[in-house]
Amino acid sequence: MKQPHKHTALLFIALGIVAVLLLLIDMATGDTYIPVLKVWAVLTGGEYDETTRNILLSIRFIRVVVAGLIGVALSVSGLQMQTVFQNPLADPYLLGVSSGAGLGVALFILGAPLLGWTNFPLLQSMGIVGSGWIGTAVILLGVAVISRKVKNILGVLIMGVMIGYVAGAIIQILQYLSSAEQLKMFTLWSMGSLSHITATQLGVMIPMLCIGLLISVACIKSLNLLLLGENYARTMGMNIKRSRTFIFVSTALLTGTVTAFCGPVGFIGLAVPHVTRLLFNNADHRILVPGTMLTGLISMLLCDIIAKSFLLPVNCITALLGVPVILWVIAKNLRRFK
């Protein structure tokens, strides 16, 4: 029994070292390359010039922190959804939370000018993040109510899909009626961006994600019971509705916050849980949850490094790296039915 525990501990240490190295490389990468040793000097209080310090701490550090938070939040959300729905292709956006955030942003960017509300200072100060979070909050409340009322998990899944379709239809109507400039702004948001987050916004983003992650850690026992199905979990004394509600609230907080601040970042939440299961060869969420956090952090830092190197939107990179993993999952599941 000692050998598997030793392997798991060594794997966590290895992933931690890789995460630190990628963090340094990510901070070194940008319009102007800064040597990794200089980055290390700035972070550890060594000798450095003031210009380098300002570039690293005022601009790049915030982006790197945001990338890491996105990787952790979406990966944990994806793991929870795949466990709850017993579906390897479930992702964090399954509940329609990102659709709600997208609709909020669309109403702000595309809808406000149509109604002549662009001159209102209060509306301007609310911005894209505020409108995205309002959309998230509405869907979050809806998910919480639905999960308490609906007994069958399939009903929650159907409601999430329907919310996505309705929000998508409204967004298409707004796009049809909008100007080219407004459409460009919304398209750029939908591509996902890590570079527009300020230190003030980060101060709001971090507490919200921490609350979502703490709830997910508190739900580890419930997730382990749900691995064998809701009927088994019920016979073990688990309150299905309450546990499901907490898991959905955690997922909505994590996914909704990321979407509101950075746009919909795809494939990370779908692919990373599978990579983590493959690495650790374990189904215990006491290992999978922290393992997924680390793997998600590493994956998103890697995607950010590539995106900055080729000057591409981060969503393009997450898709290119995530799609092969998804195809592997589909192929693996098809072989089971042969």
Side-chain angles (χ1 to χ4, degrees):
M1 289 297 289
K2 290 182 180 178
Q3 203 66 26
H5 290 302
K6 185 179 179 181
H7 173 266
T8 301
L10 288 173
L11 192 53
F12 271 116
I13 293 169
L15 289 173
I17 293 169
V18 172
V20 172
L21 288 174
L22 286 176
L23 187 146
L24 294 173
I25 295 169
D26 198 3
M27 288 191 68
T29 309
D31 295 332
T32 304
Y33 177 76
I34 298 172
V36 173
L37 290 176
K38 275 194 176 183
V39 176
W40 180 256
V42 170
L43 294 178
T44 55
E47 292 184 8
Y48 50 84
D49 58 273
E50 197 62 27
T51 304
T52 302
R53 179 182 180 278
N54 288 334
I55 291 171
L56 290 175
L57 297 184
S58 301
I59 302 171
R60 295 189 184 178
F61 183 70
I62 293 175
R63 174 168 177 146
V64 169
V65 170
V66 171
L69 290 172
I70 289 173
V72 171
L74 292 181
S75 301
V76 172
S77 299
L79 176 66
Q80 292 184 140
M81 291 297 93
Q82 288 169 13
T83 301
V84 170
F85 289 102
Q86 296 287 296
N87 187 338
L89 295 179
D91 72 353
Y93 302 117
L94 203 61
L95 297 177
V97 175
S98 65
S99 300
L103 180 57
V105 171
L107 287 170
F108 176 77
I109 295 177
L110 308 176
L114 294 175
L115 299 172
W117 290 354
T118 50
N119 296 323
F120 286 77
L122 180 63
L123 194 63
Q124 287 179 342
S125 66
M126 185 183 297
I128 291 174
V129 172
S131 57
W133 240 110
I134 290 172
T136 296
V138 171
I139 302 301
L140 175 59
L141 289 172
V143 167
V145 171
I146 291 167
S147 64
R148 298 290 292 180
K149 300 289 184 184
V150 178
K151 291 183 179 180
N152 191 344
I153 192 69
L154 186 61
V156 181
L157 175 61
I158 292 170
M159 289 301 295
V161 173
M162 290 302 104
I163 288 169
Y165 279 127
V166 171
I170 297 171
I171 290 170
Q172 285 181 346
I173 293 170
L174 291 170
Q175 287 176 321
Y176 181 76
L177 298 173
S178 299
S179 65
E181 185 181 349
Q182 293 154 6
L183 277 174
K184 183 180 178 181
M185 192 184 301
F186 182 75
T187 302
L188 288 173
W189 173 84
S190 67
M191 286 181 178
S193 174
L194 313 180
S195 57
H196 300 303
I197 305 298
T198 63
T200 305
Q201 289 175 332
L202 192 62
V204 177
M205 185 180 180
I206 289 175
M208 299 307 299
L209 292 179
C210 285
I211 292 170
L213 289 171
L214 285 172
I215 296 172
S216 68
V217 170
C219 292
I220 285 176
K221 185 179 178 181
S222 300
L223 290 168
N224 277 338
L225 289 173
L226 286 170
L227 279 174
L228 298 173
E230 289 190 356
N231 290 332
Y232 172 80
R234 196 175 286 110
T235 60
M236 295 298 291
M238 176 177 154
N239 187 323
I240 296 292
K241 288 185 178 180
R242 185 178 64 187
S243 299
R244 195 198 293 167
T245 300
F246 276 119
I247 293 168
F248 287 164
V249 168
S250 168
T251 300
L253 279 171
L254 294 171
T255 309
T257 301
V258 167
T259 307
F261 281 89
C262 307
V265 179
F267 288 98
I268 288 292
L270 183 55
V272 169
H274 293 293
V275 174
T276 308
R277 291 188 190 97
L278 183 67
L279 284 173
F280 286 91
N281 193 25
N282 202 312
D284 188 346
H285 284 79
R286 289 174 296 180
I287 293 171
L288 282 181
V289 169
T292 301
M293 289 181 186
L294 259 179
T295 312
L297 172 66
I298 290 168
S299 301
M300 200 61 205
L301 288 175
L302 181 62
C303 289
D304 189 38
I305 291 167
I306 298 170
K308 284 195 291 187
S309 300
F310 293 95
L311 301 176
L312 292 170
V314 73
N315 246 349
C316 300
I317 309 302
T318 57
L320 288 172
L321 294 182
V323 166
V325 178
I326 306 309
L327 292 175
W328 169 76
V329 171
I330 294 171
K332 184 180 174 183
N333 280 275
L334 286 174
R335 284 198 296 270
R336 287 181 182 176
F337 296 103
K338 285 186 178 180

